Amino acid sequence: MSRDIAILGVGMHPWGKWGRSFIDYGVTAARAALKDAGVDWRAVQFVSGAATIRNGYPGQVAGATFAQALGWQGAQVNTSYAACASGSQALAAARSRILSGECELALVIGADTTPKGFLAPAKGERPDDPDWVRFRLGITNPTYFALYARRRMALYGDSVDDFAQVKIKNSEHGCENPNARYRKRFTPAEVAASPMVANPLRLMDVCATSDGAAALIVASLDYARRVGRGDAPRVAAISTVTPTFASANIEMPDIATDSAVAAPAHSFRAALPAKAYEEAGIGPSDVSLAEVYDLSTALELDWIEDLQLCARGEAAALLRSGATRVGGRLPVNASGGLACFGEAVPAQALAQVCELTWQLRGEAGARQVSGAKVGITANQGLFGHGSTVIVKR
Amino acid sequence: MTRKTEKPFLEGWFAQGEAGAHLLGSRCTSCGTYYFPRQARFCRNPACAGEQFEEVPLSRRGRLWSYTDACYQPPEPFIAADPYLPFAIAAVELEQEQMIVLGPVVQGVDVAALTVGMPMELVVETLSETATERHLSWKWKPAP
Ligand SMILES: [Zn+2]
């Protein structure tokens, strides 16, 4: 029996700094997805909201907030919070309901309104909170991205010019995307002239935070066939695994890794896609394109290796060969990625699935990856959360 | 000028001993796993049901796993000098504990002076100051 569900519709509110409520963006994205699916809102049986506890949300719960704004219609409702993986967990909740037969048609939705500058911790003296401790020491999110980037330089010989080329590639992709916030082509000189944030990463190497929203209408394969959409792109796998002790990489917001004296060290980023490949029965060689979490330019190269799209240490060579640009053998971040979007935490994992859906339908316009059949996403955020989704046609 | 009160920014996380500064960690008495910050209740090794921990000083020397700096003033609760002084940050791998620990690098050591793999040692230095207090922290310093 197939464990797949169909993606009948996708919709987004463009990323940016719009100065409005996350509810506004979410409803815009939901209405776009409903229209794309040809589905009446009142037919939706399950609303699965992706939440954040940091930015636009104090006191509000995503699923019910969006359901009310769209018009209470008695659907079952759920809210998922999992930092950057919130969208994937919300999608997983919808998939479980659909595969168990509890519902046939669901809306999955995430939206955010973000503050300016660094994402900062909650107020107050809270030494028991690792997030408080690291900010007290002056360790921000770019610190971690820079540590990984420097490590690549030392281990694999990557250069800051390689990192700049990731930005340049993604900016070329994103300037063709109407939902991207930054739609400008960058040159190596512009990246090199941007201020240093966390050596070796410059401002143009590190992603911003943005407002934005993304929504999916998903359904059982039976439902999809009944409405003549049996050929719609399908969700073939969702991985939301935790790290495995001893987690080897230094991860936000921790100031130390697990000690690996009593158990072998494991890579969390590599575990996320490994589980998804296993679930989908699909291997890295089947992948047509990937949407990965380029919180920094260098991190895109880590993800390419974690997705097993090349051997460890060879992602920069793959980039230099042109394989990862649209038109190449294995495009990465055809949407423009976080470089062009900026991060809207609870919407971002769903935005990745929106892009794969458009690509697999052949509706991605100037950034279309020709013959796209299988797409994979990857993201990772705070507190041991991350996800990978595989979409196939 | 009156002397400022010196105190650690976190009580009980590090100490200055005879042989130098060290972090105060803990170690599961069942499986030997080290913890920093200290763990006092439940071992996080999924194969271990340990609930007994001994407090241990962590190795005060290690190898530089990676490094960076903070070119922009971090947000609160960071307490910045005026004007803000950028500083380097180190991730140091402790061989005996098989773990990586982050910390600021001592003042006056720029990223240009750092290389992945170089030996580092722990010291105690001022992290921040107010009109009346000087807050101390652990910091990493290139070792001879
Ligand atoms: Zn133990």
Side-chain angles (χ1 to χ4, degrees):
Chain A
M1 185 196 128
S2 173
R3 303 281 297 164
D4 298 347
I5 59 170
I7 303 171
L8 295 187
V10 293
M12 288 169 66
H13 182 289
W15 264 229
K17 286 281 185 189
W18 307 106
R20 299 201 306 276
S21 160
F22 72 96
I23 305 167
D24 185 311
Y25 313 137
V27 172
T28 302
R31 288 188 167 181
L34 287 161
K35 188 174 175 215
D36 185 45
V39 162
D40 187 306
W41 157 238
R42 290 165 296 182
V44 170
Q45 299 157 321
F46 181 57
V47 177
S48 195
T52 176
I53 55 170
R54 282 171 170 249
N55 302 326
Y57 281 80
Q60 284 173 304
V61 179
T65 298
F66 295 126
Q68 183 184 33
L70 286 158
W72 294 129
Q73 44 83 317
Q76 304 255 33
V77 67
N78 177 80
T79 292
S80 302
Y81 174 62
C84 301
S86 296
S88 297
Q89 288 204 359
L91 178 59
R95 183 178 69 161
S96 296
R97 294 263 181 160
I98 289 167
L99 293 178
S100 71
E102 288 175 71
C103 78
E104 289 192 297
L105 189 63
L107 165 67
V108 186
I109 178 169
D112 204 4
T113 299
T114 49
K116 196 172 170 1
F118 286 116
L119 289 178
K123 300 277 183 203
E125 183 105 351
R126 294 173 300 104
D128 292 337
D129 178 356
D131 218 17
W132 182 90
V133 174
R134 59 122 170 179
F135 276 101
R136 180 70 180 81
L137 288 167
I139 296 170
T140 61
N141 293 7
T143 303
Y144 295 85
F145 313 150
L147 291 172
Y148 308 152
R150 173 63 61 183
R151 187 80 184 154
R152 288 195 65 83
M153 294 171 78
L155 251 55
Y156 312 133
D158 291 11
S159 70
V160 291
D161 295 335
D162 292 327
F163 303 155
Q165 286 299 326
V166 173
K167 174 71 175 186
I168 289 153
K169 168 184 71 73
N170 288 346
S171 76
E172 282 169 6
H173 295 165
C175 72
E176 306 288 357
N177 190 339
N179 288 309
R181 175 178 173 190
Y182 302 105
R183 298 180 60 192
K184 170 186 173 347
R185 283 187 172 82
F186 284 92
T187 65
E190 285 171 312
V191 179
S194 69
M196 193 68 85
V197 173
N199 188 295
L201 300 178
R202 296 178 178 276
L203 192 59
M204 291 294 118
D205 288 299
V206 179
C207 89
T209 59
S210 294
D211 301 353
L216 313 174
I217 300 294
V218 290
S220 68
L221 297 186
D222 275 349
Y223 184 98
R225 285 186 204 104
R226 287 207 308 277
V227 298
R229 298 286 308 284
D231 64 344
R234 298 173 176 192
V235 176
I238 307 170
S239 165
T240 59
V241 295
T242 70
T244 296
F245 185 90
S247 192
N249 212 353
I250 184 79
E251 306 276 13
M252 289 184 291
D254 295 330
I255 55 165
T257 61
D258 289 341
S259 149
V261 295
H266 291 270
S267 162
F268 180 39
R269 275 201 304 267
L272 289 159
K275 172 67 179 168
Y277 285 131
E278 179 193 330
E279 188 175 294
I282 278 174
S285 61
D286 300 312
V287 169
S288 319
L289 78 160
E291 286 287 309
V292 307
Y293 230 53
D294 54 323
L295 293 164
S296 82
T297 49
L299 195 60
E300 175 172 307
L301 302 177
D302 282 329
W303 276 121
I304 289 170
E305 293 162 10
D306 290 320
L307 289 168
Q308 303 168 45
L309 301 178
C310 68
R312 189 64 67 185
E314 290 178 9
L318 196 70
L319 169 79
R320 288 182 215 125
S321 78
T324 60
R325 67 176 62 244
V326 170
R329 176 171 65 78
L330 194 54
V332 176
N333 284 331
S335 68
L338 295 178
C340 300
F341 276 75
E343 189 185 18
V345 174
Q348 211 67 46
L350 296 175
Q352 292 180 319
V353 176
C354 287
E355 176 67 11
L356 295 184
T357 302
W358 282 314
Q359 291 283 356
L360 267 56
R361 288 180 185 166
E363 295 174 357
R367 62 182 197 284
Q368 180 65 46
V369 174
S370 66
K373 291 272 186 288
V374 173
I376 189 164
T377 76
N379 59 65
Q380 187 199 347
L382 291 176
F383 315 122
H385 288 113
S387 65
T388 284
V389 176
I390 294 177
V391 182
K392 69 175 184 188
R393 182 115 199 219
Chain B
M1 203 175 107
T2 55
R3 192 177 159 82
K4 292 186 182 185
T5 314
E6 282 195 341
K7 63 170 197 181
F9 89 99
L10 286 172
E11 204 66 61
W13 285 48
F14 57 94
Q16 183 80 49
E18 290 281 306
H22 54 257
L23 297 168
L24 295 169
S26 62
R27 186 170 177 266
C28 173
T29 57
S30 303
C31 75
T33 294
Y34 289 90
Y35 290 93
F36 181 78
R38 275 178 304 187
Q39 174 61 253
R41 295 285 291 123
F42 308 107
C43 184
R44 292 201 294 258
N45 175 356
C48 179
E51 298 185 6
Q52 300 291 324
F53 297 84
E54 54 182 356
E55 291 195 12
V56 288
L58 299 187
S59 302
R60 55 177 311 276
R61 288 173 71 102
R63 297 254 163 214
L64 188 58
W65 183 82
S66 191
Y67 59 92
T68 181
D69 56 10
C71 301
Y72 285 85
Q73 181 177 323
E76 288 178 9
F78 184 79
I79 300 169
D82 186 15
Y84 170 68
L85 281 173
F87 59 96
I89 298 168
V92 175
E93 200 164 17
L94 306 182
E95 191 181 354
Q96 184 185 319
E97 294 81 359
Q98 293 282 297
M99 66 195 291
I100 295 166
V101 180
L102 298 187
V105 173
V106 290
Q107 289 162 22
V109 175
D110 182 77
V111 287
L114 302 174
T115 313
V116 168
M118 73 192 290
M120 301 290 281
E121 66 177 350
L122 199 85
V123 296
V124 170
E125 193 183 74
T126 301
L127 175 68
S128 56
E129 295 185 54
T130 63
T132 55
E133 288 179 340
R134 189 169 288 132
H135 311 123
L136 304 175
S137 174
W138 76 88
K139 292 195 181 180
W140 292 111
K141 180 183 179 182

